[in-house]
Amino acid sequence: MMSVGEVSKLTGISIRTLHYYDEIGLLRPKKVMDNGYRMYDDSDIERLQQILIFREMEFSLKKIIEILDSPDFDRNRELDKQIEFLTKKKEHLENVIMFATGIKMLGVNYMDYSMLDAKKIDEYAEDAKKLYGDTPEYREFQEKEKGRTKEDNALLAGQIMQIFVHLGQLKGKPCEDDEVQSVIVQLQKFITDNCYTCSDEILMGLGKMYAGGGEFTENIDKAGGEGTGEYTRQAIEYYINNKNKVK
């Protein structure tokens, strides 16, 4: 058995929190010594593991008690549900990360200006600078952006959106079509020439971002029609997986 101090050290949960869990009936130790020391056995630790997962899923303590104390509680069934939920949460967070990466890599000047006012663009630029100012890609982007006017950036924004317009016009064709693949080559070259070196790894990440939802996907779908973001992702994936076949 483990003392409250040992459980605290093992899990990172404070002793005070463990005491509180005991008080509200969420996690009562199997044994309390004559001197008042709480002692936890393996089943207590297993229950605590469940509590931590449910807390990660943002359940209230009251709801966790109801679930764990339910006569219908099935550990394996709950673990399956938790894994499914956390996997979806992970996918959502990956989309958020891709969105932030897009701000870093493409620069906010490649957003559709009709979707954002100037103040919002400035806020995104400042956030990107704070978060990603030390990355090689962002430094390269800053270097290439030196001397550009707002009109220059607007022109570049229009040019890259035209690439997505072209892809939208090709949506009826399979991704392996030569014309589709040539546009993906054009997209990668455009980013490298005007933003930063767009490696295959970065291009793959951008493809996920294009289809990941949010403003980038909305802008691309607005330019090329619904589904263009997802189509672009698929075309990029095919391109990278079959690059030696693309002429």
Side-chain angles (χ1 to χ4, degrees):
M1 300 188 79
M2 302 176 67
S3 68
V4 66
E6 290 171 331
V7 173
S8 176
K9 185 175 181 179
L10 174 68
T11 63
I13 300 174
S14 70
I15 293 175
R16 182 177 180 180
T17 297
L18 290 170
H19 286 176
Y20 179 66
Y21 284 177
D22 183 7
E23 291 170 9
I24 64 175
L26 178 60
L27 181 66
R28 289 194 169 125
K30 282 295 183 296
K31 186 175 182 181
V32 178
M33 308 295 285
D34 293 340
N35 57 10
Y37 286 2
R38 296 168 170 84
M39 301 299 294
Y40 299 81
D41 66 8
D42 289 345
S43 65
D44 295 327
I45 301 303
E46 182 178 326
R47 183 178 173 97
L48 180 56
Q49 291 171 346
Q50 284 288 330
I51 292 169
L52 293 176
I53 295 174
F54 280 120
R55 289 295 287 157
E56 186 64 31
M57 295 167 66
E58 300 179 6
F59 279 72
S60 69
L61 297 181
K62 181 179 179 181
K63 186 63 178 178
I64 296 173
I65 294 173
E66 291 178 6
I67 295 171
L68 295 180
D69 289 347
S70 169
D72 297 326
F73 178 75
D74 184 311
R75 173 182 173 276
N76 290 332
R77 182 184 63 196
E78 287 299 327
L79 281 172
D80 286 339
K81 289 164 61 177
Q82 290 165 352
I83 290 169
E84 181 182 1
F85 174 86
L86 292 171
T87 299
K88 290 180 180 178
K89 185 176 181 180
K90 173 177 174 286
E91 291 172 354
H92 171 71
L93 290 174
E94 286 177 343
N95 287 336
V96 174
I97 291 169
M98 286 298 175
F99 183 80
T101 303
I103 294 174
K104 173 190 73 173
M105 293 180 175
L106 279 180
V108 295
N109 292 319
Y110 290 90
M111 297 291 285
D112 183 346
Y113 282 91
S114 66
M115 299 294 289
L116 299 169
D117 60 29
K119 182 179 178 182
K120 192 68 173 177
I121 291 174
D122 289 341
E123 289 174 356
Y124 277 142
E126 186 62 26
D127 288 343
K129 183 177 180 181
K130 289 177 181 177
L131 289 171
Y132 306 112
D134 280 337
T135 62
E137 292 83 8
Y138 192 82
R139 287 197 298 271
E140 185 179 357
F141 173 77
Q142 286 180 310
E143 191 64 30
K144 289 184 176 181
E145 194 181 33
K146 284 181 180 178
R148 286 181 190 165
T149 64
K150 288 186 177 180
E151 290 73 21
D152 292 332
N153 284 327
L155 177 62
L156 289 173
Q159 289 173 344
I160 196 169
M161 293 313 287
Q162 281 302 311
I163 294 175
F164 293 120
V165 169
H166 193 177
L167 285 165
Q169 294 169 344
L170 298 173
K171 284 201 299 287
K173 296 186 176 184
C175 292
E176 60 266 28
D177 182 89
D178 287 345
E179 185 178 4
V180 176
Q181 289 299 297
S182 70
V183 178
I184 298 303
V185 172
Q186 178 189 356
L187 174 63
Q188 187 176 36
K189 185 177 186 302
F190 182 92
I191 296 171
T192 295
D193 290 346
N194 297 284
C195 304
Y196 50 84
T197 303
C198 185
S199 65
D200 289 351
E201 181 180 1
I202 289 175
L203 185 64
M204 183 72 86
L206 289 172
K208 292 179 181 179
M209 181 197 70
Y210 295 153
E215 291 178 4
F216 276 101
T217 304
E218 291 173 6
N219 291 335
I220 291 170
D221 285 358
K222 182 179 178 181
E226 185 175 356
T228 301
E230 173 59 24
Y231 181 75
T232 302
R233 182 197 67 76
Q234 295 175 11
I236 287 173
E237 184 172 309
Y238 181 88
Y239 166 69
I240 292 173
N241 291 335
N242 299 271
K243 192 169 184 178
N244 294 332
K245 301 177 184 178
V246 177
K247 299 178 182 179

